[in-house]
Amino acid sequence: MVLARAGRRDVLRSSFCAGFVLGGMGGVLPLLLNLVIAVIRQPHMSFIDGVDHIASNPYFSYYPVIQANSWLYPLYKTNQLLMLLVAFLMIFVLSGAYACLAIGASAFIRKRYVEILVPFAVSLLIWLLPAVLPIHVQLVANEFSQVIFLNFSADSGPYGIWGAMANVALFLVLSGALYEIELRRDAL
């Protein structure tokens, strides 16, 4: 009947790891459910090239979700399954990074459930920063917003993948900094 207590470092580390996995699953599961419903409804899907046929011929009744000028189109053209896996992995990692940021902020916020708003506030700040800053002081390109790189039909050029990596890295660095601050605060 001995109760072994884990140290604060282990509790925080397991909270961040579990939050990353559960946050990633929370980001991917709605998309996965949507994909399952789409496959049930239309089991024989075919490849749609990335050219907007509505503009060239009004008799075509479809439009491309992933346009030819998208950064994801070469992968979509060669292997749709691999493209879906890459998109799911990107969304999983970004959602997990959001969750880690919320977990890191929860140690410093005393009101319940307010930490859920922290990732959205940071995300909104990243999205609005290029519009708020003057042109000559603009530090963040519009293409680095997650709104751009998750819109696979947009012509985000090479910034799509760089924006994804920059956002994930920013959220994970902020989460790591909050983790270290919390550990040092507990040691005092």
Side-chain angles (χ1 to χ4, degrees):
M1 302 300 292
V2 174
L3 180 64
R5 298 185 68 185
R8 181 70 173 157
R9 180 180 296 273
D10 294 335
V11 170
L12 280 176
R13 189 178 304 134
S14 64
S15 295
F16 274 88
C17 290
F20 183 81
V21 171
L22 292 174
M25 287 174 54
V28 168
L29 285 178
L31 192 61
L32 186 62
L33 182 64
N34 189 8
L35 183 66
V36 168
I37 291 170
V39 168
I40 290 171
R41 187 169 175 195
Q42 185 82 20
H44 302 291
M45 290 195 259
S46 60
F47 174 75
I48 298 174
D49 62 349
V51 180
D52 192 358
H53 290 286
I54 295 172
S56 61
N57 189 347
Y59 297 109
F60 286 110
S61 62
Y62 62 88
Y63 64 95
V65 175
I66 300 173
Q67 295 176 355
N69 55 3
S70 172
W71 63 273
L72 198 58
Y73 186 74
L75 192 57
Y76 171 66
K77 190 174 181 180
T78 58
N79 190 342
Q80 291 85 29
L81 184 61
L82 186 59
M83 185 275 311
L84 281 173
L85 288 175
V86 166
F88 275 84
L89 183 65
M90 276 181 48
I91 293 170
F92 182 89
V93 170
L94 183 68
S95 300
Y98 273 126
C100 284
L101 187 61
I103 290 169
S106 69
F108 303 98
I109 297 174
R110 295 293 167 222
K111 297 279 185 186
R112 292 181 82 182
Y113 308 117
V114 174
E115 67 269 4
I116 296 171
L117 300 175
V118 170
F120 297 112
V122 172
S123 173
L124 189 63
L125 179 67
I126 291 171
W127 187 43
L128 292 176
L129 199 58
V132 174
L133 292 176
I135 300 284
H136 64 282
V137 187
Q138 193 170 13
L139 302 173
V140 181
N142 284 324
E143 292 83 4
F144 286 124
S145 171
Q146 72 277 9
V147 175
I148 300 297
F149 72 79
L150 289 178
N151 183 4
F152 301 124
S153 65
D155 181 21
S156 58
Y159 293 112
I161 193 69
W162 293 112
M165 290 190 299
N167 274 275
V168 169
L170 173 70
F171 289 146
L172 291 178
V173 164
L174 286 173
S175 300
L178 291 172
Y179 170 80
E180 287 297 325
I181 291 170
E182 177 63 17
L183 278 179
R184 290 175 195 212
R185 191 174 79 168
D186 286 345
L188 295 177

